[in-house]
Amino acid sequence: TEHLSVMTEGTAPQSICADDVPLIQADHISFSYQKDIPILHDLSFRIHRGEHTAIIGESGAGKTTLASLLLRLWEVDEGILRYCGNAHTAYSPTDTRALFGASLQGSYLFSASVRENFLRLHGVISEIEMWEALDTAQLADVIKALDEPLGTNASRLSGGQRSRLLTALALASCAPILLLDEPTAGLDAMRAARLIECILASLDAKGRTLIVITHDL
């Protein structure tokens, strides 16, 4: 964690937790994939509802590992993660993940269509909500029809377009936390700035919380 930073700004007045209770709190967490090779060591931070947080670090600093721990794809070796003030052990991993709309690098996309990807992930969702998410993700000008086939694992999309579709799918969630892994990958500076601007505006309007993983300060 020497090269990984957690930076937070802005707080909304309302919360799904009590006003003085963090949405997420890490207390001295540590984790390693192999014994004696620590990835994260004694890391602590707090995130309240409406705060937008960047997890910043070079490749290999532990950014995606931290995201996986927050989603409880892995469990911490030491320390405690708290959600709305309760220790992570009070929740099942499935219940914990319900707090998040997440887009992680390497996520699989279904080949049939954009519509299929939305419906498989969210079950009941209107076309208006699909287009709203695509528009916020700066992809509505690329996707001409929701039923266009995408190819195996969305192979017909470029890397940047694929990343933005994953962002749109996460945005369409009703979960209070949006967790995005390198959402601006493959984008030029102007489009990347516009993407983040639109995401923040969308989340602020709904009182949601952004956690973004990035190597770009």
Side-chain angles (χ1 to χ4, degrees), residues 14-215:
Q14 298 179 341
S15 176
I16 61 170
C17 311
D19 289 343
D20 59 345
V21 176
L23 185 57
I24 298 176
Q25 179 174 339
D27 291 329
H28 307 286
I29 62 171
S30 297
F31 177 80
S32 61
Y33 293 105
Q34 299 180 36
K35 188 177 180 180
D36 301 325
I37 306 178
I39 303 298
L40 301 175
H41 177 67
D42 197 28
L43 178 64
S44 297
F45 60 89
R46 296 182 178 190
I47 301 172
H48 287 80
R49 184 177 183 228
E51 288 185 335
H52 303 314
T53 299
I55 302 171
I56 301 172
E58 297 299 326
S59 178
K63 303 185 301 299
T64 299
T65 295
L66 177 55
S68 296
L69 292 174
L70 294 178
L71 292 168
R72 296 185 64 196
L73 302 176
W74 298 90
E75 299 287 6
V76 296
D77 294 332
E78 297 179 10
I80 298 176
L81 282 170
R82 298 184 186 277
Y83 302 89
C84 294
N86 299 312
H88 65 273
T89 51
Y91 299 97
S92 71
T94 299
D95 288 340
T96 301
R97 289 172 204 140
L99 292 170
F100 295 86
S103 166
L104 299 182
Q105 288 191 343
S107 297
Y108 185 85
L109 289 166
F110 295 98
S111 61
S113 66
V114 171
R115 185 192 304 275
E116 179 193 25
N117 280 276
F118 275 108
L119 292 176
R120 280 180 178 257
L121 190 59
H122 300 296
V124 179
I125 182 173
S126 69
E127 285 198 9
I128 292 175
E129 290 170 319
M130 292 181 196
W131 283 114
E132 179 182 345
L134 290 169
D135 186 54
T136 301
Q138 304 296 285
L139 202 60
D141 60 338
V142 175
I143 303 298
K144 303 304 182 184
L146 293 173
D147 292 316
E148 284 186 7
L150 295 175
T152 303
N153 200 11
S155 59
R156 294 189 178 183
L157 300 179
S158 70
Q161 291 167 353
R162 191 180 185 284
S163 176
R164 279 178 282 159
L165 179 54
L166 288 170
T167 295
L169 292 169
L171 278 163
S173 168
C174 295
I177 306 168
L178 183 67
L179 194 161
L180 302 179
D181 188 356
E182 301 285 3
T184 60
L187 302 183
D188 60 63
M190 183 177 296
R191 188 177 284 272
R194 177 61 178 163
L195 173 64
I196 296 300
E197 177 185 336
C198 289
I199 290 172
L200 291 176
S202 174
L203 297 188
D204 286 343
K206 299 173 182 177
R208 297 174 69 190
T209 302
L210 174 66
I211 302 174
V212 61
I213 297 170
T214 180
H215 66 278

